[in-house]
Structure formats: C-alpha cells, structure tokens
Amino acid sequence: MKTTLFVLCFFCAAAAFGQTVGTGSLLNSEPVIVEFASHAGHASQRPMGMEQNLLEQSGFTSAHGERPLWEVAKPGQVTPLGDSARTLKKAHEAAKKADIVWNN
C-alpha cells in the first residue's frame, strides 16, 4: 500500500514538474493592454425614423372586459400521490411472477 501511494505521488510530482519545465518560464511579467472598439456614433442624437408595422398584414382584434378563469376553465381531476402509490403497489403484487429462479 505504501509503495502504491509513493508511486502515485511520484507520478503526480513528475507531471507537475514536466508542465513547468516545458514552457521555459512560469509567468510572463509583461502587461497586456486591452483596447475596446469605440462606438461613438451610437450615442449621438438623430431624428426619429419612419414608423414600421411589426405585425405586417395581421388584423386588429379588440375586446372589452375580462372573464375570470373560474367561469371559463374547469378544474382538473387530480389524483393524490398516496392513492397513486397504493394503486401501483397493488398492480405490482398482482403481476405475474417468474416461474424459474436461477441460482448460479
């Protein structure tokens, strides 16, 4: 057990040493300057553009008032979780069992 642990630690140390030696230097101390593109034209003032219809050829529909949901939708029949579990347990007990039992 001790030799296995020693070999594992040795391979991990060798892998870590191999990663640092292969690159030549650990870190580059040169600063990296990041410059972002300037979009000054987006902030300038312009006159408003022409009106555009996003709906294209669709018709206009309007209605007055609202109907509450209890007038329109019927409540769904929800089976409690316990009843579902009891039904599944009874079906499992009534299911046909295997005739042959293999013991190897």
Side-chain angles (χ1 to χ4, degrees):
M1 182 69 181
K2 289 181 183 179
T3 55
T4 306
L5 184 62
F6 175 74
V7 170
L8 180 66
C9 289
F10 177 75
F11 283 132
C12 290
F17 182 72
Q19 289 177 357
T20 58
V21 172
T23 59
S25 65
L26 295 177
L27 294 175
N28 188 0
S29 62
E30 304 249 346
V32 177
I33 300 171
V34 179
E35 293 182 17
F36 296 100
S38 176
H39 298 287
H42 287 280
S44 62
Q45 290 186 352
R46 299 184 206 166
M48 292 184 68
M50 295 295 296
E51 178 182 323
Q52 295 178 358
N53 186 6
L54 299 176
L55 301 176
E56 295 193 12
Q57 301 296 329
S58 65
F60 179 74
T61 305
S62 98
H64 296 286
E66 294 181 0
R67 292 183 66 188
L69 184 62
W70 59 268
E71 286 183 0
V72 181
K74 297 177 183 174
Q77 182 65 26
V78 179
T79 306
L81 186 60
D83 292 345
S84 299
R86 283 185 210 92
T87 305
L88 286 174
K89 186 175 180 181
K90 287 178 184 176
H92 179 71
E93 290 172 354
K96 184 178 178 182
K97 305 295 185 232
D99 296 333
I100 299 172
V101 177
W102 295 92
N103 292 326
N104 291 332

